[in-house]
Amino acid sequence: MTLVVISNRVARAKPNEPMTGGLAAALLPVVEKSGAIWVGSSGRVRDGQQREPFAQIESLGRGALALLDLPAAHYGGYYEGFANSALWPALHSRSDLIRVSQDDYDSYREVNAFMARALLRFQKPDVTFWVQDYHFLALGAELRKLDVKNPIGFFLHTPWAPHNVMSGVPHHRELIETMLAYDLIGFQTDEDCENFAGYLTLELGYTVKNGMVRSHFGLTRLAAFPIGIDVEGFTAQAMRAISHPDVSRLRKSLHGERLAIGVDRLDYSKGLLNRIRAFDRLFETQPSLKRTVSLLQIANPSRGSIEAYGNLQCDLAQLVSDVNGRHGEVDWTPIRYLNKGFSQTTLAGFYRSAHVGVVTPLYDGMNLVAKEYVAAQNPADPGVLVLSKFAGAANELTTALIVNPHDIDGMARTIGMALAMPAPERRLRWEAMMTKLRAGNIQHWFESFIATLESTRDITQPAPEAPRAGRETLGRGGAVLQWQASTALH
Ligand code: G6P
């Protein structure tokens, strides 16, 4: 089997370059080890008239990266428009932030169709396509229009909001129905999967039975596959990173003070304002903690040309400056606020240096920062994770200190508890979380999705046995494709 993975943003195999978003970080080790082709946007645009849409094809571990210049006329409407100003806010239950036009929807559909045409370059009988995230909801249907009969799976990295919220997306019925062209649709949590099934039932009149739905495309399976991380790899990276110059400088700057850390894209779903308010409340209610702890908040800007993101950046800068102005001292800054990205290696070292990890989104598909913070800890002296109940990760990391990100006082109290927690309790909680992380690591996510996609196809399209030569086992766990990208690139 040959696997072609498609996402808008891709990652490069450069450990010292900043990585934006959980999707890229999660897929990188999977592609490197499995030998898949990863197709995505180059970040550049072209007029779309050229015969060869791929700007660049390079190797990535055992796999390959194939980058497309997306059509200039449609890129803005697709990315800043429909994907990030209609779908993203709705998926995160912020339909009040939807701002799109008919042109944006048309551009989104055009880019999905463009990607489908480009993917024909890799189409062979043994290819499986695996589409990632909300940028490409209609890609499966576009491939079917081009008569592609291969298995096509889809995984959503964000939450799926309840049906009445999703019905605020212009053209939602037409668009969401196209998703039934996929053989398998994967979600982060059971709740997301149930919300999607609810949408199909209540808005489109389908019957979902045992996680299966029949449409004019055929049968589609719906299931949850909580995404994980490369636990051992990340732990090793965190241990090595301690000697990284940025990490050493951070540790030296602490002078015995303790550190809380937050690392997020600058996004309204991440609960950044409430987190800063919680620290403000902490220093107000427990003034003895002043000068003993500070928050390092890294907020990497993305989607900056969208109004809601620009507004958040201003509001956050103002709030941080207000809190620092009121609580700070000549030699102590309560909130160390950085508007830039860091490499995975540097972040791993920062996490290991921090006594508390604060991950408090208002709504988040999974949140891999929570998992990375846990994996980075020193087993003898682990830090404490403070985690929002609205992050998908809270379903698994139940021994974190779980908070409601809308309850500022509750968060302030919990951060205080985290700082006071004795080592034996920290170790017990951390060990329980590590057990969960190891059981649901990235390899497990990958293998279970692909195995479910294969078994779904066996039910829906019983076909002569596909050639299985070249299959091997990757790491621990079940059989997974193993294939060399070079065979499909020529
Ligand atoms: C989230 C999305 C990803 C996206 C990432 C970064 O994690 O689920 O699909 O790549 O954010 O967003 P950006 O718009 O900067 O690519």
Side-chain angles (χ1 to χ4, degrees), residues 9 20-23 79 88 133-135 157-158 265 302-303:
R9 188 182 277 275
T20 303
L23 180 153
Y79 176 75
W88 178 271
D133 233 359
Y134 60 98
H135 307 85
H157 291 255
T158 69
R265 266 185 324 100
S302 80
R303 311 175 194 168

Side-chain angles (χ1 to χ4, degrees), residues 107-134:
S107 289
Y108 179 88
R109 296 298 304 261
E110 287 288 342
V111 170
N112 276 241
F114 176 86
M115 176 61 90
R117 289 192 297 276
L119 288 174
L120 292 181
R121 177 149 177 350
F122 300 118
Q123 200 211 350
K124 290 191 175 173
D126 71 336
V127 160
T128 289
F129 293 100
W130 187 4
V131 180
Q132 312 286 325
D133 233 359
Y134 60 98

Side-chain angles (χ1 to χ4, degrees), residues 165-182:
V165 179
M166 293 310 295
S167 70
V169 174
H171 304 284
H172 61 97
R173 287 203 185 90
E174 178 187 274
L175 178 63
I176 295 170
E177 188 148 30
T178 66
M179 293 174 71
L180 297 176
Y182 294 113

Side-chain angles (χ1 to χ4, degrees), residues 183-184 193 197 201 207-214 219-224 452 456 459:
D183 296 293
L184 172 62
C193 193
T201 311
T207 305
V208 182
K209 211 171 158 198
N210 301 326
M212 300 287 276
V213 53
R214 181 175 290 284
L219 272 175
T220 299
R221 185 190 290 277
L222 316 177
T452 309
T456 305
I459 302 170

Side-chain angles (χ1 to χ4, degrees), residues 14-32:
K14 298 198 177 108
N16 294 321
E17 272 185 17
M19 188 122 53
T20 303
L23 180 153
L27 287 180
L28 180 61
V30 160
V31 172
E32 284 179 330

